Amino acid sequence: FFFANATMSGGPRIIVCIRKRPLNRKEAANGDHDTIQPTGSAGGLMVLEPRVKYDLTKYTEKWPFTFDLYMHEQTSNVDVYNKAVYGLLETALAGGNATCFAYGQTGSGKTHTMMGSGSEKGSGIYVMAARDLFDRLDFNQHTVQVSLFEIYAGKLYDLLNKRKKVFAMADEKNNVVINGLSERAVSDVNKLMSLMEKGSAERATGTTAANQDSSRSHGILQITIRSVKNDKQYGKLSFIDLAGSERGADTAHCDRQTRMEGADINKSLLALKECIRALALGSKHIPFRGSKLTSVLKDSFTGKSRAVMIACVSPSSSNCEHTLNTLRYAYRVKELKEPNGVKEVPDAPGPMQKPPERPQNLQDAQQGRPPYPSQPQYPPPCPPQPHPQHDPDQLPQPVPAPVGKKKRARAKPRPQWDDNFTAEPDGPWDGPPPAGAGPE
């Protein structure tokens, strides 16, 4: 839909899509209502947030958003794949790196979009992409290898090898290589689905206030196309099921480990947003070192790469705050995708007036030219006048300092002992002389 007619040298490098899930039975039983409505523009939607004033008066606040594509609750996984993801297959077959992200709060439908469930079990996005890839790929010239791993608490674990810990390192060309990651050769969809079921059972999950079965790690599926001649990578197709975004209040009543997991998830999601924004702007520097997630996905943001971000939202009024956080996150990614990198601010004031010209040099200022043409001319200030009672000529003049070298005063001599001195205040002294007073 978006990438069908785009070549590697032209067309959008990233698109942002919104997928709305329907209300479930629990939300309907609690009396929640739908808060997301489409607008007339393509890709536009509006969130009707229920609010309460200080005087307990209820009102509704409207939040409009516009994205590349908006898919309502009746949209199936097949429609999502045909409209947003199918073009990524063209990028991978052309020798590029294609990446698809699923972002949203816990329970918003990310795993259903990627893997399929319920009536659409087995019809996830990655299954349909693999099926088309196997149909169009010439296995006489290329092979397909699959790897599945997760990023949990800043560490990598191989989900196809009993959750073995692996490490991300850089080779001599500064490319990130996951040391110890197992790759399985596949040639049909059935084998791929069996590998996914095996790896999904090893993925870390937990319980929070927002979801009873919350994904606590980022699951990454990489389908690599390699050349038969030299076994080098030709193209790659990556599908990333991100961990559910959550607030600190969702893990406030959980243990310390759960709170640390939530902090690490939010840190990696923030780093991912910055990388996607840099990709959309065509920046020379992409901050892929912000987290382990972006460091591993470095090749997804450099070179011949394209990406699709699918933000899954819940229409329930009880999850309206989570929905707004997801939409704001996605909009920060999308808002920089203006022509020539120019961002339009909707609430900005009118155009600024050209400031008046200032004097070019000191000579113009001394000639009386005002610094602003529109500034009124005031008379020059009067010089300071002395007070009539204090004539400067009659004021006492300071005493000048003496000229010349000042003589140093001589020290007074100490008194000397007199041997002939006798003290006779009341008569002669009859006692013995004091010690050291003189000869006996």
Side-chain angles (χ1 to χ4, degrees), residues 375-396:
Q375 182 177 353
Q377 296 291 336
Y378 296 100
C382 299
Q385 301 294 334
H387 198 272
Q389 297 181 359
H390 302 283
D391 191 358
D393 299 334
Q394 298 180 2
L395 292 178

Side-chain angles (χ1 to χ4, degrees), residues 402-431:
V403 182
K405 186 176 181 180
K406 183 178 180 180
K407 295 183 179 180
R408 183 177 180 181
R410 297 182 60 183
K412 296 181 179 180
R414 294 183 179 181
Q416 302 294 330
W417 181 262
D418 189 2
D419 296 337
N420 299 324
F421 175 77
T422 57
E424 298 180 354
D426 296 331
W429 175 257
D430 296 335

Side-chain angles (χ1 to χ4, degrees), residues 80-145:
V80 175
Y81 172 75
N82 293 332
K83 293 181 179 180
V85 185
Y86 179 76
L88 293 177
L89 191 63
E90 302 290 338
T91 303
L93 293 174
N97 298 321
T99 307
C100 180
F101 301 92
Y103 172 78
Q105 73 170 105
T106 57
S108 59
K110 302 185 303 297
T111 305
H112 171 77
T113 302
M114 285 294 178
M115 304 182 62
S117 60
S119 60
E120 294 184 334
K121 185 175 180 58
S123 60
I125 287 178
Y126 76 93
V127 175
M128 291 181 282
R131 183 181 294 110
D132 291 344
L133 179 64
F134 295 150
D135 294 340
R136 300 180 55 181
L137 194 64
D138 186 6
F139 284 93
N140 295 326
Q141 298 180 359
H142 301 91
T143 59
V144 177
Q145 294 182 351

Side-chain angles (χ1 to χ4, degrees), residues 297-353:
L297 302 176
K298 175 185 176 181
D299 54 355
S300 299
F301 305 116
T302 57
K304 299 186 297 182
S305 61
R306 297 190 186 278
V308 173
M309 179 178 178
I310 303 177
C312 301
V313 295
S314 169
S316 175
S317 56
S318 59
N319 296 328
C320 188
E321 187 173 359
H322 292 278
T323 300
L324 286 174
N325 291 336
T326 302
L327 294 176
R328 287 164 182 161
Y329 180 95
Y331 189 75
R332 290 188 186 100
V333 176
K334 190 265 175 188
E335 66 183 353
L336 295 178
K337 294 174 50 182
E338 302 294 341
N340 299 328
V342 179
K343 173 184 173 183
E344 297 182 1
V345 182
D347 297 332
M352 297 179 58
Q353 300 294 333

Side-chain angles (χ1 to χ4, degrees), residues 234-274:
Y234 176 75
K236 185 167 65 174
L237 189 62
S238 302
F239 295 93
I240 305 173
D241 184 12
L242 298 175
S245 61
E246 56 193 14
R247 304 171 302 169
D250 298 333
T251 58
H253 302 287
C254 300
D255 55 359
R256 181 178 180 273
Q257 180 65 23
T258 305
R259 294 194 299 268
M260 293 294 293
E261 292 172 357
D264 185 77
I265 290 171
N266 293 334
K267 176 184 176 181
S268 60
L269 293 177
L270 179 62
L272 176 63
K273 180 196 68 174
E274 297 300 328

